Amino acid sequence: MTRLFNDPDDFAAEMTAGFAAASARWVRAVPGGVVRSTAAAEPTVSLVVGGGSGHYPAFAGLVGPGLAHGAAMGNIFASPSTQQVHSVAATADQGRGVLLSYGNYAGDVLNFDAAQERLRTAGVDCRTLVVTDDVSSAGPQERDRRRGIAGDLTVFKVAGAACEAGHDLDDVERVARLANDRTRSLGVAFGGCTLPGAGEPLFDVPAGRMGVGLGIHGEPGIDEADVPTAAGLAGLLVDGLLAEVPDGAGARVVPILNGLGSVKYEELFVVYGAVHRLLTEAGCEVVDPEVGEFCTSFDMAGASLTLLWLDDTPGELEQLWSAPCDTPAFRRGRDAGQHAVTVPGGPGAAGTAPLPVPEAGPGSRECGTRIAAVLADVAAALDEHADEFGRLDRVAGDGDHGIGMQRGGRAARDAAADAAGRGAGAGTVLRRAGEAWGDRAGGASGAIWAGMLAALGTALGDDTAPDTARVAAGVSAAERAVERSGGAAVGDKTMVDAIVPFHRALAARSEAGDDLATAWAAAAREATTAAEATRELRARLGRARAHGDRSIGTPDPGAVSFALVVRTAGERLREAAEC
Ligand code: ADP
Ligand code: MG
């Protein structure tokens, strides 16, 4: 239960501001998150981490000398937007390149990848290492599909120490990859978390039972079992992890017992005592253990065990893991940060001047105004259906699809109205709406909608009023953009299942000579039927993948919301055609 908040919509922003005020010794707030408030004596490679908020001390609490240089901070449980990641990384860059590192979640991957593209285009050498420590989220043959949970800490710490030691980007990436290869985690949940202002937890676990293989966004466990004793839990976690010792690992191991948000330290110590004993009995040498909160899931009741497997003799990994660091939430060694100097405050969260609107032809301007009106209707429809989408996403995802679409829809509505009011053409109105959507919504769907609106906007342009064929071509471009960025195909149970039939029907009707309103309405009906049909599918991508079977019987939230958006737009097009 989250008791202390003001307006729930402002929670993440107010939390960030308070955190920065309390942690000025280490960090300063910049648009999109925080960067270090200190500079090292010599420029180094910069490590930028991130993800949604709600996981403290991941991610902002790990910024400081010896660890990360910046953290992109999304809304609660929603990945940061592309612009947030880009802003933090561009500010943190010291001219020696940037390593982006984060948990392997669809929304994070989409947004960090897009930010990486932007940085590379601007000439910044940028690499990515996704953390994939959660053994419960995919089998050993599919390690690249696993989620990142508390193992974030080992990867970030090793990479941050390598940056501090002056390694070049190739080498920082290499050791980060090694740390990830040698890190495994497994967790359990006794109860779900309740987001600020929400009336109920994201999921429930029956009394006396626990979810095994938890996610850190309120995703329920993969299996369920009776709650064991502390020693029993230690046995389950240690056995689960000893079943998969990484290739090349020695017998020396760093255990990290992590509380998920509302398990007491004292309880964790009771469990840890048994973990330590069991590891030793299994022939492991325990090195430098940690017990506490390192990656939480709001106020979720649960715990996870992470093992970082070292070499048989103290070597590179161990040295980097135990090197000094000084951050708000994780410190070690006495001389960490001793050479760091506080840098004067850089750009704060100050507003920027509105972007100028490019010249547009009169037909395109008129169309821009109509698109702004469509987006206002879409925002209203998304407001109305937010709870329903949240419920659908809660079945096998993290429950935030309603809030995400609502935030994105409202931001798109406002940006479109602003651009149209300043005489923008159709293309610019859509592109600005897409940027605003992506920036405010975060998450997988935020990045996808941002990409779709941008592709459609580019295809429509600002010169003339687009005809049906150009709109159909624009929708095809949007569909290709989704498939390119997200890699989903029809049948994976994502919004692609609704987008593909929509674009095909629109293209066919347009070729047959239908007017836009008629063609669009027919295509929207196809999208609605296809979205409903995803009910039968098993999720193969996105957050829902780890709970694939659970998703059977419930349609994909992103497909259902896509169908609502195109239906709503269709109604406005019909009204416009009638008058
Ligand atoms: P998140 O998954 O980051 O919490 P949302 O809950 O807002 O984001 O959106 C979830 C929806 O995003 C899913 O229902 C699915 O339709 C869509 N989605 C997830 N991953 C992909 C992908 N790779 N390609 C296309 N759509 C995706
Ligand atoms: Mg979600």
Side-chain angles (χ1 to χ4, degrees):
M1 183 76 202
T2 307
R3 297 177 187 84
L4 303 175
F5 51 89
N6 302 309
D7 180 340
D9 275 352
D10 298 334
F11 188 90
E14 292 184 356
M15 179 274 297
T16 304
F19 165 72
S23 313
R25 191 178 125 197
W26 299 277
V27 302
R28 65 186 169 91
V30 293
V34 296
V35 296
R36 286 191 199 174
S37 57
T38 59
E42 296 289 333
T44 67
V45 170
S46 296
L47 170 67
V48 172
V49 301
S53 296
H55 306 298
Y56 194 85
F59 298 88
L62 303 175
V63 174
L67 232 156
H69 293 80
M73 300 165 71
N75 231 302
I76 295 174
F77 291 174
S79 84
S81 67
T82 304
Q83 187 162 319
Q84 285 181 304
V85 178
H86 177 264
S87 153
V88 172
T91 313
D93 176 38
Q94 304 161 68
R96 293 196 56 194
V98 176
L99 179 72
L100 301 174
S101 192
Y102 52 91
N104 192 15
Y105 296 88
D108 291 312
V109 173
L110 287 163
N111 286 297
F112 277 84
D113 275 358
Q116 172 171 276
E117 254 339 283
R118 274 197 215 172
L119 288 161
R120 287 181 176 168
T121 306
V124 177
D125 194 357
C126 183
R127 318 278 175 83
T128 291
L129 195 277
V130 285
V131 182
T132 54
D133 56 313
D134 176 18
V135 299
S136 69
S137 53
Q141 308 313 324
E142 293 190 308
R143 280 198 49 233
D144 58 332
R145 305 187 73 169
R146 286 179 171 172
R147 307 181 284 211
I149 53 173
D152 282 342
L153 178 68
T154 64
V155 177
F156 298 168
K157 174 66 182 71
V158 164
C163 293
E164 202 73 16
H167 294 210
D168 64 16
L169 185 54
D170 284 343
D171 213 45
V172 172
E173 186 188 357
R174 178 184 64 79
V175 294
R177 203 168 294 287
L178 176 63
N180 187 50
D181 285 346
R182 293 284 189 85
T183 301
R184 302 283 188 277
S185 301
L186 175 62
V188 297
F190 312 113
C193 50
T194 308
L195 300 187
E200 49 186 307
L202 284 176
F203 67 94
D204 281 317
V205 182
R209 303 278 290 167
M210 66 180 185
V212 180
L214 54 77
I216 54 165
H217 301 89
E219 302 96 329
I222 310 254
D223 279 326
E224 220 184 82
D226 285 340
V227 176
T229 59
L233 177 60
L236 182 148
L237 297 175
V238 169
D239 287 349
L241 294 180
L242 289 184
E244 197 191 308
V245 177
D247 291 344
R252 296 161 59 75
V253 69
V254 176
I256 301 170
L257 188 64
N258 174 58
L260 265 295
S262 62
V263 171
K264 281 283 295 167
Y265 272 64
E266 283 82 348
E267 288 174 276
L268 292 176
F269 286 131
V270 174
V271 176
Y272 182 72
V275 166
H276 196 108
R277 183 171 42 75
L278 289 169
L279 285 173
T280 310
E281 282 169 10
C284 299
E285 182 183 340
V286 172
V287 178
D288 221 358
E290 293 286 344
V291 178
E293 291 187 349
F294 304 100
C295 186
T296 59
S297 178
F298 231 81
D299 62 335
M300 177 158 141
S304 64
L305 178 65
T306 297
L307 296 181
L308 166 63
W309 292 90
L310 303 171
D311 301 317
D312 267 333
T313 50
E316 182 180 40
L317 263 187
E318 189 164 342
Q319 202 183 347
L320 294 168
W321 168 251
S322 50
C325 69
D326 182 24
T327 74
F330 194 69
R331 293 168 214 165
R332 54 172 40 166
R334 267 172 306 167
D335 61 348
Q338 126 185 324
H339 305 298
V341 289
T342 302
V343 293
T352 43
L355 282 175
V357 154
E359 282 288 307
S364 184
R365 280 211 302 271
E366 198 184 309
C367 179
T369 305
R370 282 209 300 276
I371 291 170
V374 166
L375 287 171
D377 287 357
V378 165
L382 291 173
D383 270 347
E384 209 178 302
H385 289 78
D387 287 348
E388 174 198 334
F389 297 154
R391 272 196 304 278
L392 291 179
D393 192 30
R394 206 174 297 161
V395 173
D398 56 357
D400 66 352
H401 188 61
I403 318 173
M405 291 296 287
Q406 193 173 29
R407 267 195 225 117
R410 287 177 183 175
R413 170 197 66 196
D414 295 347
D418 172 69
R422 292 191 290 128
T428 298
V429 168
L430 281 165
R431 281 198 306 271
R432 297 280 157 87
E435 283 159 19
W437 189 312
D439 283 342
R440 281 294 291 141
S445 62
I448 288 167
W449 273 99
M452 280 201 287
L453 294 178
L456 181 59
T458 301
L460 298 196
D462 286 337
D463 297 337
T464 52
D467 58 11
T468 310
R470 193 136 119 225
V471 173
V475 168
S476 296
E479 186 270 333
R480 286 194 302 277
V482 176
E483 292 197 17
R484 208 174 39 241
S485 64
V490 170
D492 285 342
K493 191 161 187 165
T494 70
M495 62 173 97
V496 167
D497 288 317
I499 299 171
V500 166
F502 178 77
H503 105 85
R504 285 199 182 132
L506 188 65
R509 291 299 194 117
S510 151
E511 267 169 40
D514 278 1
D515 64 56
L516 181 60
T518 312
W520 190 285
R525 282 194 295 276
E526 294 288 331
T528 304
T529 311
E532 179 52 33
T534 61
R535 188 183 289 277
E536 313 303 329
L537 300 174
R538 184 178 188 283
R540 291 202 296 245
L541 270 184
R543 270 202 218 299
R545 187 186 59 80
H547 301 280
D549 287 338
R550 200 188 298 257
S551 75
I552 296 171
T554 305
D556 175 65
V560 174
S561 63
F562 176 84
L564 173 74
V565 170
V566 293
R567 270 201 319 278
T568 307
E571 281 157 26
R572 172 60 79 146
L573 288 175
R574 201 191 58 228
E575 282 165 23
E578 278 168 4
C579 59

